[in-house]
Amino acid sequence: ADSYFASVQAAVVLIIFGLTFLGNVKTASKEFPVKYLGDEVLAERGARVVLASISEETGETELVALTWLDRNRRCFVATAYGLGEGEEIVRTRYRQIDDDPEANPDKVLIEVKQPIAVDRYYNGAGIIDHRNKLRQGELRVDKNIRTMDWSVRANLAIWGIDVCDAYALFQQTVHPDNRASCPKEFFCKLADQLIDNKVGVRVT
């Protein structure tokens, strides 16, 4: 999950339901050891600091707080995925190696180690960003139904996620001839069906 949902509280509740969790913690930092992890010195890209919450009953790790350094610090809370080495990030960058200010920059490879948890997170983060863009840019329910009521905003956000996931599922499962030409076409058809929905309605 991205920072909209990522928190220690979310991870703990999902444990109760038998679900694992991996999220990027930013603002929802209650009960997350931000100060301790922030004070630790990370000397180079790929360095990380990990704290674990261990069950007194089973002796097993229940929750992990992780800070990992790339360009800047990234914080994660996880109940799954190991902390062993994941696939290295390899980037090509231009750097001024020669001391001569007139010299051209050299192309260099930057290799950044990352734990498996971070590797798994960023393998899925692109899909999260795509869904957010679809929800905010195409569905636009937050902008069209303005409210200051936090519970309404939360419910609209979750409903919007459901609608965008339904669109993705529809596009992947129907015959290419029957797919929606654009997200708005699907949203309009879905709205018509929801408005005219008679499932479970008893005629009196």
Side-chain angles (χ1 to χ4, degrees), residues 46-114:
R48 78 290 307 258
V49 182
V50 180
L51 292 176
S53 172
I54 299 174
S55 170
E56 293 181 354
E57 297 176 0
T58 64
E60 296 181 355
T61 300
E62 292 183 329
L63 202 62
V64 167
L66 163 69
T67 291
W68 170 74
L69 182 65
D70 189 13
R71 293 185 186 88
N72 47 43
R73 288 176 184 249
R74 315 280 173 86
C75 295
F76 299 89
V77 59
T79 61
Y81 312 115
L83 296 171
E85 292 299 327
E87 185 177 345
E88 279 193 356
I89 301 170
V90 179
R91 303 188 185 104
T92 303
R93 295 291 185 268
Y94 285 94
R95 294 289 185 267
Q96 192 69 37
I97 306 298
D98 197 319
D99 293 335
D100 182 0
E102 300 298 325
N104 292 325
D106 295 310
K107 186 185 289 187
V108 298
L109 285 179
I110 297 177
E111 298 178 350
V112 182
K113 294 181 179 181
Q114 58 179 346

Side-chain angles (χ1 to χ4, degrees), residues 127-144:
I127 298 297
I128 296 172
D129 292 338
H130 177 266
R131 292 290 195 278
N132 285 342
K133 183 178 179 181
L134 186 64
R135 179 174 59 84
Q136 295 168 356
E138 299 289 344
L139 186 60
R140 296 171 61 88
V141 68
D142 298 333
K143 294 182 179 178
N144 293 329

Side-chain angles (χ1 to χ4, degrees), residues 162-174:
D162 289 340
V163 171
C164 292
D165 285 348
Y167 168 71
L169 179 63
F170 179 82
Q171 294 293 82
Q172 293 172 17
T173 54
V174 302

